Amino acid sequence: MDRRQKKTRAAIFAAFSSLLAEKSYSKITVQEIIDAADVGRTTFYAHFETKEALLKALCEELFGHIISSAADCTHTHGLYSKSYAPESVFCHLLQHLQENEGNILGLLSGESSDIFMRYFKDSLSELIRVQYVPQKNQGNSAVPQDFLINHISGSFVETVLWWLKTKQKNTPEELDAYFRAVIEPIL
């Protein structure tokens, strides 16, 4: 993708995110996105076949970045310049969420949060499948791995929702400790 295409795509993402902060996904039209991004209809459709494709691409970019950053602890955004990177992938995720890059917390707590939570949970499930469960699930072979992954990712999503409702009063490190105290006995 050339620089012009990246710039157009970023403008469409920014316009869409801004509209999502104002109203429900279902009430946003492609025309509103086009107008807010200041692009033509043909340009919009050259990048995204539908509004749903735009939503999917936005979620993949936002959550994919956070999930891949958590999986690769060397990618820290300067979070740990004065301290060590956390051992817990969940703490790392919470710290990236706290940075709120791309207004991700606004999307997770906004009017269309159900849509974003589903994408977040799906991305998180893959991270847990690869990074967490194989290392930890040694004592509970009676529980199927896919059930366990679903349970952990669902619990983490609910933890993030609780954190948002309490206006992030707890630090990522505190929340991580709470979450792992509940999850690790299951494993």
Side-chain angles (χ1 to χ4, degrees):
M1 189 178 315
D2 70 21
R3 194 172 59 203
R4 187 175 43 88
Q5 289 172 319
K6 287 179 183 175
K7 189 175 178 181
T8 300
R9 188 175 171 94
I12 293 170
F13 278 162
F16 188 43
S17 294
S18 177
L19 288 166
L20 284 165
E22 296 171 15
K23 60 186 185 175
S24 166
Y25 167 78
S26 63
K27 293 191 165 98
I28 297 171
T29 65
V30 170
Q31 187 62 51
E32 289 173 310
I33 298 166
I34 290 168
D35 292 343
D38 196 24
V39 298
R41 185 170 290 279
T42 304
T43 300
F44 175 86
Y45 285 112
H47 288 270
F48 306 101
E49 290 182 23
T50 62
K51 183 174 82 166
E52 291 75 22
L54 170 58
L55 174 67
K56 183 178 182 203
L58 177 67
C59 289
E60 286 172 354
E61 185 161 304
L62 288 172
F63 299 128
H65 175 72
I66 287 175
I67 298 297
S68 66
S69 294
D72 175 14
C73 290
T74 62
H75 180 84
T76 60
H77 286 264
L79 284 170
Y80 314 113
S81 57
K82 296 180 183 172
S83 63
Y84 294 106
E87 289 182 26
S88 167
V89 69
F90 299 111
C91 187
H92 195 107
L93 275 169
L94 290 164
Q95 288 169 331
H96 275 279
L97 288 173
Q98 189 177 46
E99 282 185 322
N100 203 19
E101 192 174 301
N103 189 32
I104 199 163
L105 293 178
L107 296 174
L108 292 175
S109 61
E111 202 172 322
S112 301
S113 65
D114 290 348
I115 295 166
F116 291 98
M117 283 297 179
R118 185 183 69 230
Y119 278 102
F120 181 51
K121 184 175 182 269
D122 290 347
S123 299
L124 183 60
S125 291
E126 185 56 31
L127 175 69
I128 292 167
R129 177 182 333 282
V130 172
Q131 289 267 320
Y132 194 72
V133 171
Q135 299 168 0
K136 300 283 185 181
N137 190 21
Q138 296 156 2
N140 203 346
S141 59
V143 178
Q145 188 170 345
D146 60 335
F147 177 85
L148 194 57
I149 290 166
N150 182 66
H151 179 71
I152 293 169
S153 60
S155 293
F156 190 77
V157 165
E158 287 299 322
T159 298
V160 170
L161 285 173
W162 177 83
W163 192 41
L164 293 173
K165 285 179 189 170
T166 61
K167 298 183 181 9
Q168 301 175 49
K169 289 180 183 172
N170 300 92
T171 66
E173 294 80 9
E174 290 170 329
L175 202 58
D176 173 59
Y178 301 158
F179 182 72
R180 287 187 301 121
V182 172
I183 292 300
E184 288 185 353
I186 295 169
L187 297 169

